[in-house]
Amino acid sequence: MDGGRDVEDGGSVAPLVRRIRGRVLPSQSRLPLPQVTFLSLVFSSSSKKLSIRTGQCFLLNGFIFLGSILVLHLLVIPTLQWILPENCCQITSQDSCPFSSVLKLYSFLHFGLVQLLYVFWFYPLYIFSFILSAIWYSDIAKHGFAAMEGSQSTLEQPSSKNEAVALERKIETEKLVDLGGLMIGIGEQVYSILLLTFFFLEVYVLGFVPYIGKPLNILLLSWMYAYYCFEYKWNFTGVSLDKRLDFFESNWAFFAGFGNPCVLASFFFSPLVGYGVMAILFPLFVLTATSSRAEQAIFSEGRKKRDAGIGRLPIFYAADTLSMWVLGLFSLESREQLQEKKMH
């Protein structure tokens, strides 16, 4: 954050990163944080597109994905165990089992059929759900943000019925005003992808630390999910990377609490079930983050937090240092290629 982001001049990446960080944080809104959950529920019924996307998310991840796992464990596996018994007591009541070779074959067939279901249904469905849900999450955040802005305009002054549509179009087009803004946006996405990738690797590695690995894993995943939820809103409102990271690290306790329910709800299940639970809850957290006014609520408590001794925590320091190192390598390579071209 303070020292890890500074790179040498002369590279092609470093000036772009500095331009990205120089953008201005938008002014804070007026709605307080306690209205967040209520407004999230109101948006689902007031925006048709938002309702459709949210319903599609619940249908795919809840009914189809989790429903398939439920059918597998409650219907398919018990049926296979009845057709292909693995224990001799299911066939005969004798103490000695004359069907041991047959039972081994049944056990192999049972295992193979279940694995085929995972390979040809659950894993492809997981990949399909992951990609499609990522697209839908962005749409949910966009429609939620437009509905939020439209509801605010309705409260402040009379508005037309097409105002929400105009706001959506404004969100889609205002970032492509000029070529410079487009390049800054690309730079933001590259840096953000690198940062979150290294942070995820950090979460994964720390999970293997004895005794404290699991608690650290839960805490870091809570921060990661919270950042993902708020990143949609920050992208729409044009908050610079430097501002959003500074705000996130300065209010680490709030964001840990925000992302913790989503993590705990899926942490104690198997990986596939945990993903399905998280995929159902995540749109609600995205809507909550999109409709919240956390900045105003937290900044109003800034003095109290400083008096209580809660300061900035460098959550992304390691990930940021590695990201800037990678960007520095690309910068050095581009300069070397330019010098080689000049020599030829």
Side-chain angles (χ1 to χ4, degrees), residues 13 27 42 54 71 81 96 104 108 141 145 225 228 263 280 317:
V13 179
S27 59
V42 171
T54 307
V71 169
Q81 289 176 346
S96 61
K104 289 181 181 179
F108 175 77
F145 185 79
Y225 284 139
Y228 276 133
V263 176
I280 292 175
Y317 178 79

Side-chain angles (χ1 to χ4, degrees), residues 31-58:
L31 290 181
L33 185 62
Q35 299 183 18
V36 169
T37 306
F38 175 75
L39 286 179
S40 299
L41 296 175
V42 171
F43 291 161
S44 295
S45 60
S46 63
S47 173
K48 183 178 179 180
K49 293 181 180 179
L50 179 58
S51 302
I52 292 174
R53 280 288 181 260
T54 307
Q56 288 173 333
C57 238
F58 291 156

Side-chain angles (χ1 to χ4, degrees), residues 15 133 224:
S133 295
M224 189 174 73

